[in-house]
Amino acid sequence: MNRVKNFNAGPAALPLPALERAREEFLDFARSGMSVMEHSHRGKEYEACHDEAIALLKELLAVPDTHEVLFVQGGASQLFAQIPMNLVPKGGSADYVVTGAWSEKAVAEARLATAMLGGAVRVACTTGTGEGKEKSYVRAPAPGEVKAADGAAYLHLTSNETIHGVEFDVDASRAFPGTGAVPLIADMSSDFLWKKIDVSKFGLVYAGAQKNIGPSGVVVMVVSKALVEQGRKDIPKIFQFRTPAENKSLYNTPPTFGIYMIRNVLSWLKGLGGLPAMEARNRKKAGVLYGAIDANPAFYKCPVEKQSRSVMNVVFRLPGEADEERFVKEAKARGMVGLKGHRSVGGIRVSAYNAVEPAWIDELAAFMGEFARKG
Ligand code: PMP
C-alpha cells in the first residue's frame, strides 16, 4: 500500500487510525455480524455510535446546554438556503459579511430564499476589491468594521474561505466581530474543530464534514435552542431546524456511515489531546508553510494579508503559471497530491486540515525551498 501525502481541499485527508478502525470494523460492527451500513438507523448498535459522535462533539467543544448538535444533509450549500428560510421572518432582514467565494455563494442563496419568503438580505461588510476576473479577497475584516443592523435576524460570516485562504480569528486583530443581540452565524466548513471556539458567542455554527471531520454527506450544526425555537413554521418540515432537533437528527435516515466515520475521527482527535493540542499542531504546520513562502519572497507570494492568513488553506503564487504546473507535477512525483489552487483563482493551495501530518508539511516545505532554488 502506498498512501500519498494528501493536501486536497475537501473531501480531504482523514486520519489513518480512523480509517484503519473502519477497516477493522467494516464487516462486523460492534459484534453484530454486519457492517454499520447494513444496520437500521433505529437499531441499538447504530444509535450508540450516533450518540457517541454527538457526545464527542459536545465534549470537544464544551457545548453549553443552551445549544445542541445536529447532523443534517444537503451539504453546507443547502444550509446557505435553509438558514434564511428558517430565520428571516416575513419583512425581516439578515446581514452578511463577504470575504471570498463561499460567502458570496451564501449571500446569493439567501437573496433567493428571502425573495421567495418575504424578507431581505444586506451585505454588512465586504472585503472584496476589483470586479470580474480581477476581484480579489485578501483579508478578514477587523471586528470594528462589522456592524450588525439593529433587529437583523442574524449576521452570517464564513470563518475560513477555502478558496481564497482568508480566515477569521487566527490573529487577535481579526477576531470574530461582536454582534450584540444579533445572533452570529458562521460557516465553519473548512475550519471546524481546528481549535476551540466559545460556542456561546454563536447562534449557529455549521460545517460540511468532508474537510476536517469525516467524509462528505453530513453537515454538523451547533445551534442555539432559542434559534431553533424561533424558526419559521411555514416552510416544509424537512427544512425546519426543529425537525432534526426534535428527533435527535433521526427524523429521516441519516448518512449512517458518514456519522460513524465522524465518531472515528473525533475519538482520534480526543486521543491526541483534543482541540488545544490540535490548535498547537495546526499553528505549527501553518508556520512552517508560511515560513517557506516568506523565505523565498522573489519566488513565492501569498496574496493574503498576514493577520488573515488561513491556517487550513495556504494559498500562494509562483512567478508564472508554467512554474505552478511544474510545481504540482514534481510534488506529485514525490507523493504529494492535491496542491493545485481552485480553478477560479489558480495558483497553489495547500490544505493542511487536522489529519494532515506535520511530517508531510515539513517534507513539502523542504521541497518548496529546493524548487525555488532551482527556479
Ligand atoms: N462553505 C465552505 C467554506 C466550503 O469550503 C464549502 C465546500 N468547499 C462549502 C461551503 C460547500 O460545501 P458543500 O459542498 O458541502 O455543500
Side-chain angles (χ1 to χ4, degrees):
M1 183 173 60
N2 189 18
R3 283 183 57 82
V4 293
K5 289 150 206 120
N6 180 355
F7 300 104
N8 275 330
L14 287 166
L16 188 57
L19 291 169
E20 285 171 339
R21 181 172 180 186
R23 181 176 61 185
E24 272 157 36
E25 296 176 346
F26 197 63
L27 298 181
D28 186 8
F29 171 68
R31 295 209 177 82
S32 63
M34 61 178 120
S35 161
V36 65
M37 283 182 281
E38 299 170 288
H39 268 278
S40 163
H41 59 296
R42 313 234 176 255
K44 68 178 185 339
E45 290 90 350
Y46 172 72
E47 256 197 292
C49 169
H50 184 96
D51 293 347
E52 190 184 342
I54 293 172
L56 280 163
L57 275 160
K58 286 189 172 165
E59 182 185 343
L60 288 164
L61 277 173
V63 176
D65 280 348
T66 48
H67 286 61
E68 55 194 322
V69 171
L70 306 177
F71 294 129
V72 295
Q73 298 180 62
S77 302
Q78 183 166 301
L79 279 184
F80 291 168
Q82 234 179 311
I83 290 168
M85 285 167 74
N86 273 271
L87 300 179
V88 181
K90 270 204 178 77
S93 176
D95 277 359
Y96 280 73
V97 179
V98 180
T99 51
W102 288 108
S103 33
E104 279 184 1
K105 285 210 160 116
V107 182
E109 282 296 88
R111 283 215 173 91
L112 290 170
T114 51
M116 179 174 76
L117 291 164
V121 165
R122 181 181 81 109
V123 173
C125 173
T126 175
T127 58
T129 55
E131 287 302 326
K133 267 193 143 43
E134 297 305 308
K135 183 128 201 187
S136 76
Y137 291 97
V138 297
R139 65 188 193 91
E145 291 177 68
V146 181
K147 295 261 178 302
D150 280 346
Y154 56 82
L155 181 129
H156 180 283
L157 58 81
T158 307
S159 56
N160 183 59
E161 284 286 353
T162 322
I163 294 173
H164 289 88
V166 169
E167 192 172 11
F168 275 89
D169 209 39
V170 173
D171 185 89
S173 69
R174 294 294 178 274
F176 292 117
T179 48
V182 174
L184 178 59
I185 296 186
D187 171 5
M188 293 197 172
S189 290
S190 52
D191 68 346
F192 190 51
L193 300 188
W194 83 270
K195 67 166 179 154
K196 199 144 188 175
I197 51 161
D198 179 354
V199 170
S200 69
K201 292 212 166 98
F202 295 88
L204 161 64
V205 305
Y206 63 102
Q210 68 270 22
K211 294 150 198 311
N212 243 357
I213 61 161
S216 59
V218 193
V219 180
V220 179
M221 295 173 62
V222 183
V223 60
S224 96
K225 291 175 182 166
L227 274 190
V228 171
E229 190 86 3
Q230 279 164 32
R232 287 174 71 146
K233 292 185 172 151
D234 58 351
I235 58 173
K237 204 169 165 181
I238 191 66
F239 296 136
Q240 296 179 28
F241 293 146
R242 68 177 57 74
T243 302
E246 285 170 359
N247 295 281
K248 217 177 70 176
S249 303
L250 287 162
Y251 170 73
N252 66 327
T253 319
T256 51
F257 188 73
I259 292 167
Y260 159 82
M261 279 304 299
I262 290 178
R263 190 281 307 260
N264 286 6
V265 172
L266 297 184
S267 63
W268 164 83
L269 207 167
K270 184 180 166 186
L272 275 193
L275 295 178
M278 198 43 74
E279 177 173 358
R281 170 178 150 114
N282 286 327
R283 283 196 187 269
K284 197 154 169 235
K285 283 165 17 190
V288 170
L289 285 171
Y290 288 113
I293 293 168
D294 295 340
N296 291 289
F299 197 75
Y300 298 118
K301 285 200 175 25
C302 171
V304 182
E305 288 183 6
K306 284 218 159 103
Q307 302 90 324
S308 306
R309 286 177 164 187
S310 172
V311 170
M312 296 282 106
N313 307 100
V314 175
V315 298
F316 56 94
R317 302 300 311 234
L318 273 63
E321 282 179 25
D323 301 310
E324 290 166 349
E325 266 172 43
R326 211 160 35 84
F327 181 94
V328 169
K329 207 168 144 209
E330 285 190 26
K332 192 169 178 195
R334 296 168 185 231
M336 296 183 274
V337 306
L339 292 167
K340 201 167 158 45
H342 191 269
R343 60 189 184 281
S344 61
V345 294
I348 305 293
R349 170 172 56 178
V350 185
S351 296
Y353 300 125
N354 288 354
V356 167
E357 288 294 332
W360 307 355
I361 298 288
D362 293 341
E363 194 175 327
L364 178 59
F367 168 71
M368 286 170 67
E370 213 179 285
F371 195 87
R373 273 192 298 283
K374 275 196 319 199

